[in-house]
Amino acid sequence: MPPPVDLLLLKAMQPSVMDALARAFTVHRLDQVRDREAFLDEAGPRIRGLAVGAQAPVDEALLARLPGLEIVASLGVGYDTVDVRAAAARGVVVTHTPDVLNEEVADLTLGLLLATVRQIPQADRYLRSGRWSERSFPLTTTLRGRRVGILGLGRIGHAVARRLDGFGVAIAYHGRHAQEGVGYEYHPTLLGLAQAVDVLIVVAPGGPGTKGLVDAAILAALGPDGILVNVARGSVVDEAALIAALKEGTIRSAGLDVFAGEPHVPAELVALDQVVLLPHVGSGTDQTRAAMGQLVIDNLVSWFGGHGPLTPVPETPWRGAR
Ligand code: 8YV
């Protein structure tokens, strides 16, 4: 039997994934070594696989220390923290975990939207604080009659739109292209979309191509009754512009599962009572995280079994040869 493949982890993953990886590979943990540089000098050349969560960056500097690396298996559909161009230039395949989280993230998105519109966490806080006996919770705005815009009608965006269909709201979208066979109204510009809707749901991937797309002008176009929901990446929204828009009443509220500098959340956002803030839990259930973890394992096992990656990212397509 060939010796087990040396696999590097930047941080721990959930226990079931760690156990499965330990059974199939010789696992090294970069977050547990005392001297990172000495470890990379000694073991770096032996490492053939890298398994990462979406929040641990894989940059050119790290890749350069791993000259024998063949595959980066990333947990999560978004892979903006992996420098895929640098990986591609080195012939390293990058995989992610699409599809297995679509419905879970879409469920959370609708929950966050309703929580934001109907102020559900605020109402919960109100009851717990004993104020109900003094007077009824203030009336809120409604989802009824609203027009919802989706920025990024990809796999998760479609799952969100399917749910919104059931809520009887008008749906429109913006992306690079109009999608054939899709009945929702398409807007070739984000500004046009923002002008046409009063709820904007961000489901677009992060990275340099979408950085700061939702800026002061987009928020102003949403209008004073506007609601922003972001379940994608904090980087897609200009956070300072959002805070200003919320403080000044340029938009009504926001439901955010993601932030620019996670896990740091600006104190100014936390201080705003009308917003609903979640600690990046879109895919965060036992079941879906297990499915995502399994796909990380399956990609690695398939690759080192000589069968290629299962779900490579488009930037490092698998053409059947190294
Ligand atoms: C996860 C995510 O929280 O899939 C993604 O892109 O943002 C989330 O599902 C994250 O990837 C886990 O590391």
Side-chain angles (χ1 to χ4, degrees):
M1 247 191 13
V5 167
D6 285 276
L7 181 77
L8 182 63
L9 261 70
L10 300 187
K11 282 186 188 162
M13 294 188 175
Q14 68 252 45
S16 59
V17 178
M18 298 295 285
D19 291 348
L21 291 176
R23 281 195 295 275
F25 305 101
T26 300
V27 175
H28 306 270
R29 290 263 308 270
L30 198 56
D31 59 333
Q32 285 189 335
V33 299
R34 221 177 303 149
D35 184 340
R36 184 185 152 108
E37 295 309 309
F39 169 82
L40 288 171
D41 282 344
E42 191 275 316
R46 289 203 309 274
I47 302 293
R48 294 173 62 197
L50 186 57
V52 292
Q55 273 72 42
V58 178
D59 53 17
E60 168 60 28
L62 178 62
L63 293 172
R65 305 298 305 274
L66 308 171
L69 189 67
E70 299 168 30
I71 180 169
V72 177
S74 182
L75 180 86
V77 63
Y79 50 91
D80 46 304
T81 49
V82 179
D83 186 340
V84 280
R85 283 211 192 110
R90 291 174 172 275
V92 173
V93 163
V94 178
T95 65
H96 64 147
T97 63
D99 293 320
V100 292
L101 45 59
N102 295 348
E103 306 301 321
E104 198 77 84
V105 176
D107 285 350
L108 193 280
T109 306
L110 265 292
L112 183 53
L113 171 62
L114 286 172
T116 308
V117 171
R118 297 295 304 273
Q119 305 258 282
I120 294 173
Q122 292 86 341
D124 178 276
R125 292 200 288 270
Y126 190 86
L127 180 152
R128 288 170 198 270
S129 71
R131 281 176 285 167
W132 192 12
S133 52
E134 291 157 24
R135 67 168 66 153
S136 299
F137 185 68
L139 303 182
T140 70
T141 187
T142 181
L143 190 64
R144 300 299 91 218
R146 281 188 178 269
R147 298 174 55 82
V148 180
I150 298 177
L151 170 56
L153 194 64
R155 302 173 176 98
I156 299 174
H158 274 285
V160 170
R162 277 199 307 279
R163 283 159 176 75
L164 287 170
D165 276 334
F167 280 86
V169 292
I171 302 169
Y173 71 102
H174 166 69
R176 270 168 301 180
H177 316 283
Q179 296 182 25
E180 235 173 273
V182 169
Y184 310 126
E185 190 176 284
Y186 174 68
H187 289 267
T189 67
L190 177 57
L191 187 62
L193 177 69
Q195 282 163 344
V197 301
D198 50 20
V199 173
L200 182 63
I201 300 183
V202 181
V203 215
T210 57
K211 194 167 169 22
L213 264 189
V214 178
D215 58 12
I218 302 299
L219 296 167
L222 269 183
D225 206 25
I227 307 255
L228 177 76
V229 172
N230 188 4
V231 293
R233 287 291 181 266
S235 60
V236 184
V237 175
D238 177 340
E239 218 161 60
L242 174 62
I243 291 168
L246 287 163
K247 278 187 174 170
E248 289 156 19
T250 307
I251 65 168
R252 177 186 285 273
S253 186
L256 307 173
D257 186 40
V258 289
F259 304 88
E262 292 174 16
H264 168 75
V265 179
E268 284 173 292
L269 269 181
V270 176
L272 293 171
D273 191 55
Q274 81 267 37
V275 298
V276 178
L277 307 175
L278 302 179
H280 200 149
V281 293
S283 67
T285 65
D286 285 335
Q287 294 80 352
T288 292
R289 284 291 168 81
M292 292 161 66
Q294 190 58 50
L295 195 45
V296 168
I297 296 162
D298 292 348
N299 267 295
L300 290 166
V301 168
S302 176
W303 175 264
F304 289 113
H307 308 296
L310 300 179
T311 47
V313 302
E315 293 86 347
T316 64
W318 175 237
R319 298 200 177 88
R322 290 197 72 227

Short mmCIF file of all heavy atoms in Angstrom, two decimals, residues 53-55 75-79 97 101 105 232-233 280 282-283 289 292, ligand 1:
data_model
loop_
_atom_site.label_atom_id
_atom_site.label_comp_id
_atom_site.label_asym_id
_atom_site.label_seq_id
_atom_site.Cartn_x
_atom_site.Cartn_y
_atom_site.Cartn_z
N GLY A 53 -11.56 25.88 5.30
CA GLY A 53 -12.87 26.51 5.43
C GLY A 53 -12.80 27.82 4.68
O GLY A 53 -11.71 28.35 4.45
N ALA A 54 -13.96 28.37 4.31
CA ALA A 54 -13.97 29.55 3.44
C ALA A 54 -13.29 30.76 4.08
O ALA A 54 -12.90 31.68 3.40
CB ALA A 54 -15.39 29.89 3.04
N GLN A 55 -13.18 30.77 5.41
CA GLN A 55 -12.65 31.97 6.05
C GLN A 55 -11.12 31.99 6.21
O GLN A 55 -10.55 32.97 6.65
CB GLN A 55 -13.31 32.18 7.41
CG GLN A 55 -14.61 32.96 7.32
CD GLN A 55 -15.74 32.14 6.69
OE1 GLN A 55 -15.89 30.97 7.00
NE2 GLN A 55 -16.50 32.75 5.80
N LEU A 75 -14.24 24.26 1.85
CA LEU A 75 -15.58 24.02 2.42
C LEU A 75 -16.42 25.28 2.21
O LEU A 75 -16.08 26.33 2.73
CB LEU A 75 -15.47 23.71 3.91
CG LEU A 75 -16.77 23.43 4.65
CD1 LEU A 75 -17.13 21.96 4.52
CD2 LEU A 75 -16.65 23.79 6.12
N GLY A 76 -17.50 25.16 1.45
CA GLY A 76 -18.33 26.33 1.16
C GLY A 76 -18.47 26.50 -0.34
O GLY A 76 -17.60 26.04 -1.10
N VAL A 77 -19.53 27.14 -0.75
CA VAL A 77 -19.70 27.38 -2.18
C VAL A 77 -18.85 28.57 -2.61
O VAL A 77 -18.28 28.60 -3.69
CB VAL A 77 -21.20 27.57 -2.56
CG1 VAL A 77 -21.81 28.78 -1.89
CG2 VAL A 77 -21.37 27.63 -4.06
N GLY A 78 -18.73 29.58 -1.73
CA GLY A 78 -17.91 30.75 -2.03
C GLY A 78 -16.45 30.43 -1.75
O GLY A 78 -16.13 29.76 -0.77
N TYR A 79 -15.57 30.89 -2.63
CA TYR A 79 -14.14 30.58 -2.45
C TYR A 79 -13.31 31.83 -2.68
O TYR A 79 -12.19 31.77 -3.19
CB TYR A 79 -13.72 29.43 -3.38
CG TYR A 79 -14.15 29.62 -4.82
CD1 TYR A 79 -13.33 30.25 -5.74
CD2 TYR A 79 -15.40 29.19 -5.24
CE1 TYR A 79 -13.72 30.43 -7.05
CE2 TYR A 79 -15.82 29.38 -6.55
CZ TYR A 79 -14.97 30.00 -7.44
OH TYR A 79 -15.38 30.20 -8.74
N THR A 97 -17.92 23.50 -2.55
CA THR A 97 -19.05 22.61 -2.22
C THR A 97 -20.38 23.24 -2.66
O THR A 97 -21.19 23.65 -1.83
CB THR A 97 -19.10 22.28 -0.72
OG1 THR A 97 -19.31 23.48 0.03
CG2 THR A 97 -17.81 21.63 -0.24
N LEU A 101 -25.85 23.09 -0.35
CA LEU A 101 -26.33 24.08 0.64
C LEU A 101 -27.40 25.01 0.10
O LEU A 101 -27.90 25.87 0.82
CB LEU A 101 -25.15 24.88 1.21
CG LEU A 101 -24.10 25.41 0.26
CD1 LEU A 101 -24.63 26.33 -0.79
CD2 LEU A 101 -22.97 26.06 1.02
N VAL A 105 -29.47 27.60 2.63
CA VAL A 105 -29.18 29.04 2.63
C VAL A 105 -30.43 29.82 2.20
O VAL A 105 -30.73 30.89 2.74
CB VAL A 105 -27.96 29.36 1.72
CG1 VAL A 105 -27.73 30.86 1.64
CG2 VAL A 105 -26.71 28.66 2.25
N ALA A 232 -24.57 36.80 1.20
CA ALA A 232 -23.49 36.37 0.30
C ALA A 232 -22.12 36.60 0.93
O ALA A 232 -21.58 35.72 1.60
CB ALA A 232 -23.63 37.11 -1.02
N ARG A 233 -21.58 37.78 0.71
CA ARG A 233 -20.32 38.18 1.32
C ARG A 233 -20.43 39.64 1.72
O ARG A 233 -20.96 40.45 0.95
CB ARG A 233 -19.15 38.00 0.34
CG ARG A 233 -18.74 36.57 0.09
CD ARG A 233 -18.09 35.93 1.33
NE ARG A 233 -17.67 34.55 1.11
CZ ARG A 233 -18.40 33.48 1.40
NH1 ARG A 233 -19.60 33.62 1.91
NH2 ARG A 233 -17.93 32.27 1.18
N HIS A 280 -23.18 34.78 10.35
CA HIS A 280 -22.86 33.95 9.18
C HIS A 280 -23.31 32.49 9.38
O HIS A 280 -22.47 31.60 9.49
CB HIS A 280 -21.36 34.01 8.86
CG HIS A 280 -21.04 33.60 7.46
ND1 HIS A 280 -19.99 34.10 6.73
CD2 HIS A 280 -21.65 32.70 6.63
CE1 HIS A 280 -19.96 33.54 5.53
NE2 HIS A 280 -20.96 32.68 5.45
N GLY A 282 -25.82 31.01 7.36
CA GLY A 282 -26.64 30.59 6.22
C GLY A 282 -26.68 29.08 6.00
O GLY A 282 -27.74 28.49 5.82
N SER A 283 -25.53 28.45 6.02
CA SER A 283 -25.48 26.99 5.79
C SER A 283 -25.30 26.24 7.11
O SER A 283 -25.03 25.03 7.08
CB SER A 283 -24.32 26.65 4.85
OG SER A 283 -23.08 26.92 5.49
N ARG A 289 -23.91 21.21 6.96
CA ARG A 289 -22.46 21.25 7.14
C ARG A 289 -21.87 19.85 6.97
O ARG A 289 -20.75 19.69 6.46
CB ARG A 289 -22.10 21.83 8.49
CG ARG A 289 -22.25 23.33 8.55
CD ARG A 289 -21.21 24.07 7.69
NE ARG A 289 -21.56 25.46 7.54
CZ ARG A 289 -21.31 26.39 8.46
NH1 ARG A 289 -20.68 26.08 9.57
NH2 ARG A 289 -21.68 27.63 8.24
N MET A 292 -21.67 19.31 3.27
CA MET A 292 -20.56 20.10 2.70
C MET A 292 -19.22 19.44 3.03
O MET A 292 -18.33 19.32 2.18
CB MET A 292 -20.59 21.53 3.26
CG MET A 292 -21.79 22.35 2.79
SD MET A 292 -22.12 23.80 3.84
CE MET A 292 -20.67 24.81 3.54
C1 8YV B 1 -20.16 28.72 5.16
C2 8YV B 1 -20.52 30.09 3.01
O1 8YV B 1 -20.47 29.39 6.33
O2 8YV B 1 -20.68 28.34 1.45
C3 8YV B 1 -20.30 29.48 1.68
O3 8YV B 1 -19.75 30.16 0.80
O4 8YV B 1 -20.31 31.22 3.19
C4 8YV B 1 -21.07 29.29 4.12
O5 8YV B 1 -21.88 28.27 3.66
C5 8YV B 1 -18.71 28.75 5.03
O6 8YV B 1 -18.28 28.47 3.76
C6 8YV B 1 -18.07 27.76 5.99
O7 8YV B 1 -16.73 27.93 6.04
#
